Amino acid sequence: MRRIAGIVLAVLLIGGVVAAVVAGRDTGDTSTATKTVRGVIGSEKAEFFADPEVVKALAAEGYTVKTETSGSWAMDGLDLKGYDFAFPSSKAPADELAEKYRVREPLPRPFYSPLVVVAHRGAAEVLSRNGLATLDKDRGVLDMDAYLKASEADRTWQQLKGAHEYGELSGLLYIATTDPTTSNSGALYLAAASNVANDGRVVASEADIKKTSPLLHDLISVQGAQQPSSDAAFRDFVSGVGNPLVLVYESQVAALLADGQKVDDLVVLYPDTTVNSDHTVVPVTDEGRALGELLGTDPELRRLAARHGFRPQGSAKEFTAATAGLTTYLTPRLTVRQAPVPTSEVLHEMARRARGR
């Protein structure tokens, strides 16, 4: 009997150990399990999603995010089968994608960024002397009406007072932008410029398009070959090549400065009529929607978005905190006029005619 009891006890002990090992393994698997979601994003968000702290914050909420980059307007030509979300840089291309894939509203809009013009100090000083901008330390406001009139008149840098002091300022005066037919920042530049040219009204009809098209064509044709993305255009500016005036997102400037990098003689100009780039998630699957909503609500992800230069929707506290030491370059609270954006159909047509197609 003692022998039988010993065998039974041994079996029970072994069973208990096995049960404990299985339980421990299950607990471990549950704590590390993640949902892998795939998305197509604008290039300006690539560094955000690649940030190890962002990866860690997403993993803590159960997500592994794999991304590929594309121009926001070029996303319409992609097949999103197999992806969970697209993440263009503004609402217009997002609305177009949502209609195409029959995605229900509302679309998550976790953060936004205004368009700005980065300039070298010499160029900014010349604009200021000639009434095209006002300066305050390393930031300023670009007078869009005055700038557009100078563009219509084919003004050159050499015709502006003080430009002779800077050998790099020569040729036609223009702001370098991305291709408006494929890139969001280029298209939004047309939206802002057309609003000024249309007496402060959104371009909404064929008559409006005809009225503003000659100016928009001049703004684009003078540039020759354009960069496909704002990321490439900004890198060129930072490296000291290219045009002295370049249209980029505020987020790109803020992220660079927050990272401790310096750009020689940088001045940031906020157009007095601008368009905010509302980064909008187009969820193709339920997982994509959950991720988009998480980006806008999770405190850690909001903080990290602000550190990468984006302005989280709603409260401004994260952006203000992230840029507290950068206010000589950046404006924490925007006071410039926000122009309405034309419908995607109208914006496409404006871009097509601006490119001479």
Side-chain angles (χ1 to χ4, degrees):
M1 291 294 296
R2 285 197 301 270
R3 187 176 178 185
I4 294 171
I7 293 172
V8 171
L9 180 60
V11 170
L12 290 173
L13 286 173
I14 292 171
V17 170
V18 172
V21 170
V22 171
R25 185 173 64 225
D26 285 345
T27 300
D29 286 348
T30 301
S31 65
T32 58
T34 60
K35 296 180 285 290
T36 299
V37 294
R38 295 182 62 210
V40 181
I41 63 172
S43 62
E44 69 291 328
K45 294 183 283 289
E47 290 189 6
F48 170 74
F49 280 104
D51 184 339
E53 288 192 51
V54 173
V55 173
K56 181 180 178 182
L58 288 168
E61 297 298 326
Y63 289 94
T64 297
V65 180
K66 296 184 178 182
T67 62
E68 300 171 23
T69 60
S70 168
S72 292
W73 286 103
M75 289 181 189
D76 184 54
L78 301 177
D79 182 0
L80 295 183
K81 183 178 180 180
Y83 292 91
D84 296 286
F85 69 96
F87 202 173
S89 304
S90 72
K91 190 174 182 297
D95 286 344
E96 196 168 84
L97 285 168
E99 182 178 356
K100 179 178 179 180
Y101 289 94
R102 298 179 181 178
V103 177
R104 65 178 172 84
E105 297 282 353
L107 303 179
R109 291 187 296 154
F111 42 73
Y112 68 98
S113 184
L115 293 172
V116 298
V117 175
V118 287
H120 294 295
R121 170 62 62 179
E125 292 283 1
V126 171
L127 293 180
S128 178
R129 284 192 210 181
N130 289 269
L132 300 176
T134 56
L135 299 183
D136 178 13
K137 297 181 181 177
D138 297 316
R139 73 184 188 202
V141 176
L142 176 71
D143 186 324
M144 281 290 284
D145 185 55
Y147 164 71
L148 293 177
K149 286 177 179 175
S151 296
E152 282 185 300
D154 293 329
R155 298 286 294 277
T156 64
W157 284 105
Q158 293 93 322
Q159 292 173 322
L160 300 181
K161 292 183 295 184
H164 67 278
E165 299 174 18
Y166 306 96
E168 70 276 15
L169 298 181
S170 63
L172 287 170
L173 169 68
Y174 69 90
I175 296 170
T177 70
T178 55
D179 184 342
T181 62
T182 60
S183 174
N184 180 66
S185 59
L188 293 186
Y189 174 64
L190 297 186
S194 66
N195 188 269
V196 175
N198 201 36
D199 304 316
R201 298 189 302 270
V202 65
V203 173
S205 65
E206 176 61 24
D208 292 338
I209 295 175
K210 284 183 177 180
K211 176 182 177 181
T212 58
S213 284
L215 170 62
L216 301 186
H217 178 69
D218 288 345
L219 295 176
I220 300 303
S221 62
V222 70
Q223 299 183 45
Q226 293 175 286
Q227 289 284 16
S229 72
S230 60
D231 184 52
F234 187 53
R235 283 200 308 268
D236 282 353
F237 177 85
V238 171
S239 65
V241 300
N243 200 57
L245 302 174
V246 181
L247 185 85
V248 299
Y249 296 111
E250 178 196 54
S251 58
Q252 294 169 293
V253 183
L256 186 81
L257 296 175
D259 195 39
Q261 299 184 53
K262 300 294 183 183
V263 181
D264 290 340
D265 67 4
L266 170 68
V267 176
V268 181
L269 300 174
Y270 288 80
D272 60 4
T273 297
T274 190
V275 174
N276 283 344
S277 180
D278 283 311
H279 295 266
T280 305
V281 176
V282 182
V284 182
T285 66
D286 290 342
E287 289 79 7
R289 181 173 291 277
L291 173 67
E293 292 172 351
L294 182 69
L295 291 172
T297 57
D298 181 80
E300 178 65 1
L301 289 169
R302 286 174 62 91
R303 182 187 72 81
L304 291 169
R307 197 180 73 179
H308 279 267
F310 300 108
R311 294 176 181 252
Q313 297 285 0
S315 173
K317 64 180 182 180
E318 294 97 347
F319 185 81
T320 301
T323 59
L326 308 174
T327 52
T328 59
Y329 295 98
L330 305 175
T331 301
R333 295 194 176 277
L334 296 174
T335 57
V336 293
R337 177 175 175 267
Q338 169 71 21
V341 180
T343 65
S344 59
E345 181 181 359
V346 169
L347 203 51
H348 269 307
E349 183 61 19
M350 289 165 56
R352 187 186 68 79
R353 296 191 194 185
R355 289 285 293 170
R357 295 176 181 172

